[in-house]
Amino acid sequence: MHIKILSLIIILLSFNVAASDDHDFSFTGYLRSGVGSASDGGDQACFQLPGVRVKYRLGNECDNYSEIGLSHTLFSEKKTPATPFKLTYHGLLAYIVDADDDFETYSPAFRVNYIEAENVLPNQPQAKIWVGKRFYRRHDIHINDFYFWDNSGPGGGIEDYKLSFANFSYGYLRNADAAGNAGTTHDFLLSEIETNKNGKINIGLSLGRADERDNSVNQDSNGWAINFIHQQSSLLGGYNKLSLQYGKEAMNNPGGRTNSSAHKNDETSRFTNQTLFNPNPSWTGLLVFIYEKSTVNDSDNTWLSTGARPQYHFTEYTSLALEVGFDQFKPEGASSRELYKISLAPQISSGRLFWSRPVLRAFITYAAWNQEAEDTGIDINNVYSSKSGVSYGLQADVWW
């Protein structure tokens, strides 16, 4: 039923586009799809350290996931040929299945559903005003899918209002849990601030407040977070992106939304660094380092992660990717949990860049972990007979 509805939407919008050249339509998306096996038998088993919310991805994704996005210009009036006033709709549905059989049903997740207005404000043709639900100002580390700055969700705001030294954005965002407890985030951002040759910074301040269904407010319901990114371009044919983040109480996940269940004195400090390199046509890759220290309900936790995915390109369309990753999680009063992972993947892709997609790959992955990780459920389904395992399979990966 969902596929039929989506197909009908695409057909109707296509007819509308054909009827008017002024009303643009675009179709975007992402998918990863594959199949795999475990060395000890049975379906592919992926490796993720308990206490860590992400994992190194290459040869280590057991789901099939897709996003289908539509954008359509609802109204356009050309003040000048270069800067028309526009009202545009954006929508995106996401699907995820286990890929266990040929026919699997899944209700889509409504990830994006908003309207934006362009060229509304005087002398600000690049500024946009938006209302709805959207991906908002996301920053991630690709090889472990860690969105360290991601305030996505329902809300409204203005973005890219040009100042003399930066672009200013403000977002009013609201999220709620199943019990009706809600959180409000006021997100302020200064972006594209030039600091040095080929270097720019973004600085964000988020103020959060949580409230309960009965309209009472906990004494611990306020919070704040500050986020900083410096990106250095033209470095080894790529870039370096460094982030510093700190969040307190209701904003104890810096870069995220208000946490309505946060406790007094909850806080998180986080440092990330990633380097994308492309020094010559044969080599590309990404290097990653993450350090996070958090206090949750008066308990201290530390997460350390480092990884790399170099790729050697034999030809314009063939390459070999190697990914190594290490995660360590140290809860208060307990020994560290550790996970080591390495994957090798011959690939066919559309070019010599790290981001070249589509890509088709075969992979083999080896992972090993310590006793503390075993005791806390890294192999919860008892797939492997020892504290290590191998998986192998095939995967396709693309965005457009």
Side-chain angles (χ1 to χ4, degrees):
M1 175 61 73
H2 297 300
I3 297 297
K4 291 180 180 179
I5 293 173
L6 185 60
S7 300
L8 180 60
I9 292 171
I10 294 173
I11 292 170
L12 290 174
L13 287 175
S14 298
F15 278 124
N16 196 14
V17 172
S20 173
D21 292 336
D22 293 334
H23 291 69
D24 298 327
F25 167 75
S26 65
F27 172 51
T28 61
Y30 166 77
L31 76 84
R32 60 175 180 263
S33 181
V35 62
S37 302
S39 60
D40 284 18
D43 199 12
Q44 179 185 2
C46 287
F47 309 102
Q48 182 170 345
L49 190 66
V52 176
R53 52 194 178 276
V54 296
K55 62 185 185 297
Y56 286 94
R57 303 171 66 180
L58 185 66
N60 197 33
E61 294 177 302
C62 293
D63 59 359
N64 275 217
Y65 178 79
S66 66
E67 295 174 350
I68 306 298
L70 306 171
S71 295
H72 181 54
T73 300
L74 304 171
F75 178 83
S76 179
E77 181 181 56
K78 293 186 176 180
K79 295 181 178 181
T80 70
T83 57
F85 167 72
K86 283 186 179 182
L87 292 168
T88 304
Y89 168 76
H90 301 277
L92 186 144
L93 301 178
Y95 298 80
I96 185 169
V97 296
D98 293 329
D100 290 333
D101 209 340
D102 65 330
F103 187 86
E104 295 173 290
T105 59
Y106 178 79
S107 299
F110 234 129
R111 301 295 309 275
V112 172
N113 190 37
Y114 75 100
I115 294 174
E116 69 178 5
E118 300 177 57
N119 198 24
V120 178
L121 304 174
N123 303 315
Q124 292 287 336
Q126 76 293 326
K128 299 176 182 179
I129 296 173
W130 63 276
V131 176
K133 183 177 182 178
R134 63 171 293 186
F135 293 152
Y136 185 67
R137 297 289 177 173
R138 303 197 303 173
H139 294 269
D140 74 307
I141 297 174
H142 175 75
I143 63 174
N144 65 355
D145 209 24
F146 180 37
Y147 282 83
F148 59 90
W149 193 345
D150 182 8
N151 227 332
S152 299
I158 180 172
E159 59 181 339
D160 292 333
Y161 186 95
K162 191 168 184 59
L163 305 175
S164 60
F165 66 99
N167 291 339
F168 171 76
S169 300
Y170 165 75
Y172 168 81
L173 300 117
R174 184 86 164 156
N175 58 284
D177 60 23
N181 302 315
T184 299
T185 305
H186 299 277
D187 188 80
F188 303 88
L189 174 67
L190 292 173
S191 60
E192 301 295 309
I193 304 173
E194 296 186 3
T195 54
N196 59 299
K197 184 179 180 181
N198 300 318
K200 294 181 179 180
I201 63 172
N202 294 352
I203 301 175
L205 173 66
S206 296
L207 305 177
R209 182 173 179 81
D211 54 87
E212 297 178 341
R213 168 65 77 183
D214 63 3
N215 294 322
S216 65
V217 177
N218 293 323
Q219 61 176 344
D220 310 326
S221 61
N222 296 324
W224 60 274
I226 188 164
N227 299 278
F228 169 91
I229 286 179
H230 177 269
Q231 181 159 326
Q232 185 69 41
S233 302
S234 301
L235 180 68
L236 297 174
Y239 62 78
N240 188 81
K241 181 185 285 188
L242 177 150
S243 76
L244 297 169
Q245 300 174 280
Y246 176 80
K248 182 77 173 175
E249 295 183 351
M251 294 300 300
N252 69 322
N253 177 24
R257 295 173 295 173
T258 300
N259 180 5
S260 59
S261 62
H263 301 87
K264 186 176 179 61
N265 297 324
D266 281 5
E267 62 180 352
T268 300
S269 302
R270 183 188 301 138
F271 168 81
T272 75
N273 193 78
Q274 53 183 310
T275 303
L276 178 74
F277 61 90
N278 190 183
N280 58 57
S282 296
W283 285 101
T284 62
L286 189 68
L287 308 173
V288 172
F289 179 83
I290 302 167
Y291 179 82
E292 179 182 284
K293 186 173 179 60
S294 61
T295 300
V296 179
N297 199 16
D298 295 323
S299 178
D300 294 333
N301 303 303
T302 303
W303 172 36
L304 173 68
S305 183
T306 185
R309 187 194 294 183
Q311 297 181 171
Y312 183 79
H313 298 262
F314 299 102
T315 69
E316 189 72 18
Y317 307 117
T318 61
S319 62
L320 183 66
L322 172 71
E323 184 178 272
V324 293
F326 169 73
D327 281 304
Q328 181 188 78
F329 182 75
K330 173 68 170 66
E332 183 173 353
S335 299
S336 295
R337 308 164 193 170
E338 295 181 349
L339 170 64
Y340 304 83
K341 176 258 186 194
I342 182 169
S343 300
L344 192 67
Q347 303 184 136
I348 300 172
S349 66
S350 61
R352 288 180 175 270
L353 301 178
F354 184 82
W355 306 115
S356 293
R357 298 294 186 278
V359 60
L360 308 176
R361 60 172 66 102
F363 64 83
I364 182 168
T365 294
Y366 170 80
W369 51 91
N370 66 358
Q371 188 62 47
E372 286 72 22
E374 178 80 10
D375 293 342
T376 50
I378 191 171
D379 186 19
I380 193 170
N381 295 318
N382 296 315
V383 175
Y384 298 104
S385 56
S386 62
K387 295 188 288 294
S388 64
V390 174
S391 64
Y392 53 92
L394 306 170
Q395 187 189 51
D397 183 21
V398 64
W399 51 76
W400 67 90

